[in-house]
Amino acid sequence: MPDITDQRFTPHDHRRCIKAAVAEATRICNERNGRLTEQRKRVLELVWGSHQPIGAYTILEQLRSEGFNGAPPTVYRALEFLLDHGLIHRIESLNAYTGCSHPGDEHTGQFLICSRCHEVTELDDPAVSRAITHSSASIGFAATHQVIEIRGLCSHCQALPHDQ
Amino acid sequence: MPDITDQRFTPHDHRRCIKAAVAEATRICNERNGRLTEQRKRVLELVWGSHQPIGAYTILEQLRSEGFNGAPPTVYRALEFLLDHGLIHRIESLNAYTGCSHPGDEHTGQFLICSRCHEVTELDDPAVSRAITHSSASIGFAATHQVIEIRGLCSHCQALPHDQ
DNA sequence: TGAAAGTTGTTATACTATAACATAACAACC
DNA sequence: GGTTGTTATGTTATAGTATAACAACTTTCA
């Protein structure tokens, strides 16, 4: 049964999400003297504007369609900045980027990727992190960073007929 | 303190590991009418021969140095076959491939990747899988496949001076 | 103002992966 | 044994992802 409170499937003005994300990012960057330049902000908006993880070259295309006349390194640099400041995440198994749903604090999220609609939900369940840290430690491995990307069907898509 | 029983750091004849892996793969392929051809077997050996995850193009280079005169698709096809039969794993965060340490049964491993020596240890801790499945289910997500890649320092490298 | 640091522009190239179609090897059957 | 359908491999070209290296510009702050 789909969770009708789920923002992704509730009719909502997504532009608000984007604005909120940018506002939050601005606050965070101010705090630590990171410069959220126009380009970086624009890339952040594009990442948030997509309901799915977005690739670097798709971002580049969109920038170009807006009159920007740049090359891949510009996009990768902006992405690097945003990653460094915890404002977006990279999804390794998709070579794509997605907005961080609670930026600011250091964390490596856990991502649920729907195989059908391709939306990504970020979880940050301490129980999962703990299980992994514990399991690693049991063989003497000191974990510093976790890549956790889960495939499956989101609640919304489970409720749909299979052939849709 | 390094675990001196750890096969990776115990002096051992790694050719034996490779032979064992190939023997096991042969058995599994026979069971299910998969054809472990010479090329596929050779790729499997190269994957096992590397103490670190190995990239497709590195495999290609090695094949070429043995007189093989092929192109990328050949390697990718062999890798696909080996993946399909659960004989190797792909490490998403490295775009590289590593031997499966207990092939045969369906599973998605958990990988501990040492940032220093780059060796990979495969874990299959049910507690971790369970934590993830449980956490996913709590928001209605039905997980089918897990990508879990943990960075950190293996016990061996922790024991070394930092600057080595 | 001028030096240092940070950001962006620009060109070229490296690395990873697959599409599409041709050929060859194999297995099973008549 | 030849025929046929299937699987595997060869081959060429190209798509997709990412970075190196160096030049030019901006910002900051002494």
Side-chain angles (χ1 to χ4, degrees), chain B residues 33-155:
Chain B
N33 284 329
R35 282 162 58 191
L36 189 63
T37 61
E38 271 312 304
Q39 284 204 62
R40 289 166 175 172
K41 192 194 291 186
R42 190 72 200 103
V43 170
L44 181 61
E45 285 169 353
L46 289 172
V47 170
W48 269 96
S50 168
H51 270 216
Q52 304 170 4
I54 187 174
Y57 278 74
T58 306
I59 293 171
L60 183 57
E61 264 175 40
Q62 299 200 16
L63 287 176
R64 281 181 170 155
S65 76
E66 301 173 358
F68 171 82
N69 206 336
T74 301
V75 173
Y76 281 102
R77 282 166 184 155
L79 291 171
E80 191 185 10
F81 174 88
L82 298 171
L83 285 168
D84 284 349
H85 288 77
L87 303 172
I88 62 173
H89 290 289
R90 175 178 158 82
I91 308 294
E92 296 292 341
S93 59
L94 296 176
N95 296 329
Y97 305 83
T98 194
C100 173
S101 55
H102 46 281
D105 37 336
E106 282 304 313
H107 70 290
T108 63
Q110 301 142 10
F111 302 96
L112 308 183
I113 306 167
C114 180
S115 305
R116 189 179 161 284
C117 70
H118 304 113
E119 289 220 14
V120 169
T121 304
E122 181 178 349
L123 277 188
D124 288 87
D125 186 342
V128 171
S129 301
R130 234 182 293 120
I132 287 174
T133 306
H134 182 262
S135 184
S136 303
S138 75
I139 64 157
F141 189 94
T144 55
H145 180 83
Q146 308 181 347
V147 173
I148 303 175
E149 297 171 9
I150 313 302
R151 291 261 168 188
L153 282 183
C154 70
S155 58

Side-chain angles (χ1 to χ4, degrees), chain A residues 11-68:
Chain A
H12 72 290
D13 186 347
H14 192 57
R15 281 167 301 181
R16 287 210 175 173
C17 302
I18 301 174
K19 278 189 84 170
V22 170
E24 180 69 0
T26 305
R27 195 185 59 70
I28 290 168
C29 286
N30 281 342
E31 250 177 28
R32 32 172 118 171
N33 285 329
R35 283 163 56 189
L36 190 63
T37 62
E38 272 311 306
Q39 284 204 62
R40 289 166 174 174
K41 192 193 290 185
R42 191 73 201 102
V43 170
L44 181 61
E45 285 168 353
L46 289 173
V47 170
W48 269 96
S50 168
H51 270 217
Q52 303 170 4
I54 188 174
Y57 278 75
T58 305
I59 293 172
L60 182 57
E61 265 175 37
Q62 298 199 16
L63 288 176
R64 281 182 170 155
S65 77
E66 299 173 358
F68 170 82

